[in-house]
Amino acid sequence: MGDVSDLDLAAGEFSAWLADMRAAIRSGGAMDVPCGTCTACCTGSQFVHVGPDETDALADIPAELLFPAPGLPDGHVVLGYDDRGHCPMLVDGRCSIYDHRPRTCRTYDCRVLVAAGFADDEDVPVEISRRATRWRFDHRGESARMEQAAVERAATFLADHPEALPPEAGRPSLTRLAALAIEVADLFVDAQPDVVGVRAALSAALAQMRDSSAWRR
Ligand code: SF4
């Protein structure tokens, strides 16, 4: 592992993280993120999508805090935030519905922003950027470095070519763009694909995600 300062956070080995992240994006499963006491993603003025199948979360969140999710079918809702930018389910610095938190919260991992090279982008909420810029990945070898470089190239390509995004990708936040970049990064390992190829790969990837809306955050 490279040198880690007091402010740096060990993000883990990149290739292993990438495999877990890909599985979580596809399945909507939870990521094991070493958040410690950080609640940046709960206090960063984020709308949290909740799907109609998330009955546990929907039962625990007061109905008056939920609003129809723009651009999604009936039944999809979002949980908003208060005038400080805090999720209303955050009580005394902890998620009050942790065991039943929405899928969006379970899959969220701010290390995607690092992998994509977006961590210090001005469009990332400052609380999340402050945390994300501290992560440092470890690399098992040159192939792991090439994988990370490919994710970064894919993310830059998607940011520069919005026409590569199929309609079902929605209007992505940088977090969602980073997740989509992870899905198509293999195309960028030793080639520079064109817009048509990337768009087709994204359509195929979105079709395989259990609930791609979870990455709207
Ligand atoms: S539901 Fe819980 S984990 Fe999700 S943003 Fe709110 S406080 Fe954070």
Side-chain angles (χ1 to χ4, degrees):
M1 182 189 281
D3 292 340
V4 175
S5 80
D6 285 350
L7 285 178
D8 292 345
L9 298 166
E13 200 284 320
F14 186 79
S15 293
W17 173 84
L18 185 62
D20 289 348
M21 192 72 252
R22 279 191 169 132
I25 291 170
R26 289 284 169 98
S27 68
M31 276 301 281
D32 183 12
V33 188
C35 299
T37 56
C38 179
T39 55
C41 61
C42 310
T43 58
S45 305
Q46 302 277 292
F47 287 103
V48 174
H49 168 264
V50 190
D53 60 318
E54 297 186 71
T55 50
D56 285 351
L58 291 168
D60 279 8
I61 302 171
E64 61 271 24
L65 298 177
L66 297 169
F67 306 92
L72 290 176
D74 286 353
H76 289 261
V77 292
V78 290
L79 170 63
Y81 47 86
D82 66 18
D83 52 10
R84 300 166 299 168
H86 292 195
C87 173
M89 305 316 294
L90 187 71
V91 178
D92 295 333
R94 288 174 174 270
C95 178
S96 60
I97 57 165
Y98 188 81
D99 288 342
H100 295 159
R101 67 198 187 285
R103 187 181 301 130
T104 305
C105 308
R106 292 173 189 274
T107 51
Y108 188 77
D109 182 341
C110 64
R111 291 174 291 186
V112 292
L113 296 168
V114 183
F118 292 154
D120 56 1
D121 191 286
E122 62 184 13
D123 288 339
V124 175
V126 65
E127 298 82 358
I128 296 175
S129 179
R130 203 177 288 141
R131 173 74 174 192
T133 51
R134 293 173 60 195
W135 291 119
R136 300 287 177 269
F137 281 110
D138 181 17
H139 298 88
R140 194 183 294 150
E142 193 49 32
S143 64
R145 290 186 196 284
M146 287 174 65
E147 277 185 309
Q148 184 166 359
V151 172
E152 213 170 312
R153 279 200 297 279
T156 302
F157 183 90
L158 295 182
D160 291 345
H161 297 90
E163 70 275 22
L165 299 171
E168 61 270 32
R171 232 185 48 208
S173 65
L174 286 181
T175 301
R176 182 165 167 81
L177 209 57
L180 295 175
I182 284 172
E183 285 292 312
V184 296
D186 285 350
L187 297 178
F188 290 81
V189 170
D190 51 17
Q192 183 61 42
D194 60 15
V195 165
V196 173
V198 172
R199 193 178 162 101
L202 280 175
S203 283
L206 284 160
Q208 288 186 39
M209 289 187 199
R210 176 167 175 246
D211 180 5
S212 71
S213 304
W215 280 92
R216 284 180 185 270
R217 188 174 198 159

